[in-house]
Amino acid sequence: MTENPLAQAASLIEQAFTAISDSADPLAALLVLEGVSRQVDRAKVAAIAAVERDGVLAEKGYRTSVAGLKDLLGWDHDTARRHVTVAQQVGPRTTLDGEPLEPVLPATAAAFADGAATMRHVDTIAALMNSRPAARISLADRISIEASLGEAARTFTPREVRLMGLELLAAADLDGPEPDERPGRNELQMGANPDGSGWLRGQFEDPLAFAAIRTAIEARTRPTPENRGTTSAERNAAALAEICGFALDFDDTGEVAGERPRLVVTINLTDLEDRARSAMLDTGGQLTPGQLRRLACDAQLIPVLLDERSEPVDIGRTSRTISPRLRRAVAARDHGCAHPGCDRPPSWCEVHHVIEWQHGGPTDLRNLVMLCCQHHDQIHSTEWRIDMSSGKPEFIPPPWMTDLWTQS
């Protein structure tokens, strides 16, 4: 039987590393290993660029390549994010017709392809060229600065390149950001998009009000394995969403404290008979099947059934699926998000039915597991499974992921 080409390559690489390790000159061996390491990085970046281009992980149910790479390779968020960023900035690109395109950072890509620049160099230059000062300068200045930084990466360390980049951007952006002449006052505006997403914009003149908001958000944006490597704006948004979700869950917003939010879910009768392939929130926006399944795990739902003329034929009553007592029991067993490596506490988690509620799964301790929002989404959108046969949740990777590791 002919050996798999990748297996043959892996065997040759192992032999090469053995020869390097047996070298009598450790300094020479270090230089060789560094060169090999950079070659490996270039190969990984090319593979990730192909994964991004072809949507391989999206087909497996992952919303982002970062989340998929974390599961597949056991990387933390920062490592996965850095690899994806590098692939997007210096990896090969094509048009929709398949025509080759220049990399986003051409000079940096050239230094990286030559092995003169490391992934840290690329990550540093990408952060500089995607910063606000870079967005305010002319295209010609951006091209010139990127070319200078790409060349500097061949000689200087990432830190030195960053300092050089900050100086170049400051020199090109002499005017700085435009002054904000709006009068100071407390206001918060919000709007919804047709797809159910939305936006917030506001300012707070009252120092005490702003201090309360800032303190609450900063308490949830400290570095963790889940948010390390994200931008401050992304962490702030995630923290605000979690704070609001926590308030809805545990503030006295209803008749009984601790109730999940009541949401009106509009479902066509035919879709309901077909196990609810789609639904609409009363606040606007279409729910995907995965979102609807997640919502059914741990919420109070008011179903509104529509006939073929889209007229309401029945409005159901709310029903509590998971009692506070049962939620406490799940929390006592799982101590927060049960997914391996996740440190989200119980107060920031949801309760998931292992056998889905709409498919007859019982609402008891043996069929419930505590998950943070991220891993709750992941369970519903990917092929990850949870085995409760031992009485405790055991997470089983998708078959395609297990097969890849077995083959390697």
Side-chain angles (χ1 to χ4, degrees):
M1 179 180 294
T2 303
E3 189 177 7
N4 184 301
L6 285 176
Q8 291 179 331
S11 177
L12 291 173
I13 291 172
E14 186 174 351
Q15 294 176 32
F17 276 121
T18 300
I20 295 172
S21 299
D22 293 341
S23 170
D25 188 344
L27 291 179
L30 275 176
L31 289 175
V32 172
L33 287 171
E34 176 61 20
V36 171
S37 176
R38 296 190 185 192
Q39 284 183 302
V40 170
D41 283 342
R42 293 198 297 276
K44 285 191 295 184
V45 165
I48 293 171
V51 166
E52 287 252 290
R53 182 187 64 243
D54 299 338
V56 176
L57 290 172
E59 292 177 355
K60 304 294 185 183
Y62 286 95
R63 293 186 177 182
T64 67
S65 296
V66 171
L69 292 175
K70 286 169 61 179
D71 280 350
L72 176 62
L73 302 176
W75 285 344
D76 60 23
H77 185 97
D78 187 38
T79 301
R81 183 219 41 97
R82 186 186 312 119
H83 279 78
V84 171
T85 297
V86 171
Q88 292 171 341
Q89 300 296 315
V90 301
R93 297 191 301 157
T94 60
T95 65
L96 294 177
D97 297 332
E99 295 295 324
L101 283 174
E102 190 177 53
V104 176
L105 303 176
T108 307
F112 183 69
D114 293 343
T118 65
M119 288 190 59
R120 181 64 71 179
H121 282 104
V122 178
D123 196 33
T124 299
I125 296 173
L128 289 165
M129 300 313 300
N130 287 283
S131 64
R132 290 184 177 180
R136 290 193 294 264
I137 63 179
S138 67
L139 176 60
D141 282 341
R142 286 199 299 273
I143 293 174
S144 174
I145 290 175
E146 191 275 327
S148 297
L149 295 179
E151 189 63 30
R154 297 174 179 272
T155 305
F156 300 101
T157 67
R159 181 178 181 277
E160 291 169 336
V161 170
R162 178 179 178 275
L163 294 175
M164 182 183 302
L166 291 174
E167 291 179 0
L168 292 173
L169 288 172
D173 182 33
L174 292 176
D175 294 336
E178 295 183 4
D180 186 354
E181 299 178 354
R182 294 177 300 173
R185 58 180 178 271
N186 287 358
E187 62 177 14
L188 182 64
Q189 300 172 338
M190 64 182 69
N193 300 319
D195 63 353
S197 61
W199 54 268
L200 296 173
R201 181 170 58 244
Q203 62 180 18
F204 295 86
E205 182 182 30
D206 182 358
L208 292 178
F210 179 70
I213 295 170
R214 181 175 181 176
T215 301
I217 289 178
E218 288 183 345
R220 299 304 308 166
T221 55
R222 63 184 184 279
T224 70
E226 295 302 322
N227 68 24
R228 192 164 52 243
T230 57
T231 66
S232 60
E234 290 171 335
R235 293 194 297 273
N236 290 343
L240 180 59
E242 287 188 334
I243 290 167
C244 292
F246 182 84
L248 286 171
D249 284 351
F250 296 100
D251 194 11
D252 189 5
T253 56
E255 295 179 0
V256 180
E259 288 185 329
R260 297 288 292 174
R262 294 184 178 93
L263 295 177
V264 176
V265 180
T266 304
I267 311 172
N268 287 319
L269 183 58
T270 54
D271 284 335
L272 182 65
E273 292 169 348
D274 291 337
R275 292 197 178 274
R277 291 174 300 194
S278 62
M280 182 77 72
L281 287 175
D282 62 333
T283 55
Q286 188 79 17
L287 282 176
T288 64
Q291 290 169 329
L292 185 59
R293 289 193 296 270
R294 172 182 161 186
L295 189 61
C297 281
D298 188 16
Q300 287 191 340
L301 306 180
I302 306 174
V304 178
L305 301 186
L306 303 179
D307 62 15
E308 63 276 6
R309 298 183 302 275
S310 296
E311 296 178 355
V313 295
D314 181 58
I315 299 179
R317 299 180 62 184
T318 62
S319 60
R320 181 70 177 183
T321 59
I322 298 173
S323 67
R325 180 178 181 181
L326 184 54
R327 181 183 172 88
R328 287 194 294 270
V330 178
R333 184 197 64 202
D334 295 343
H335 307 292
C337 181
H339 194 281
C342 187
D343 63 352
R344 289 297 190 190
S347 59
W348 297 93
C349 292
E350 301 166 339
V351 179
H352 166 73
H353 286 73
V354 176
I355 300 176
E356 295 174 352
W357 177 62
Q358 68 268 33
H359 293 166
T363 304
D364 60 40
L365 187 60
R366 293 169 296 179
N367 190 48
L368 300 176
V369 62
M370 187 158 279
L371 297 171
C372 67
C373 295
Q374 176 185 339
H375 289 120
H376 200 171
D377 281 338
Q378 178 177 290
I379 287 294
H380 280 297
S381 61
T382 69
E383 297 180 77
W384 276 86
R385 294 188 298 110
I386 302 176
D387 182 5
M388 297 293 293
S389 58
S390 66
K392 293 184 178 181
E394 178 184 354
F395 289 77
I396 303 173
W400 65 267
M401 190 177 293
T402 304
D403 291 343
L404 283 176
W405 277 112
T406 302
Q407 295 169 8
S408 64

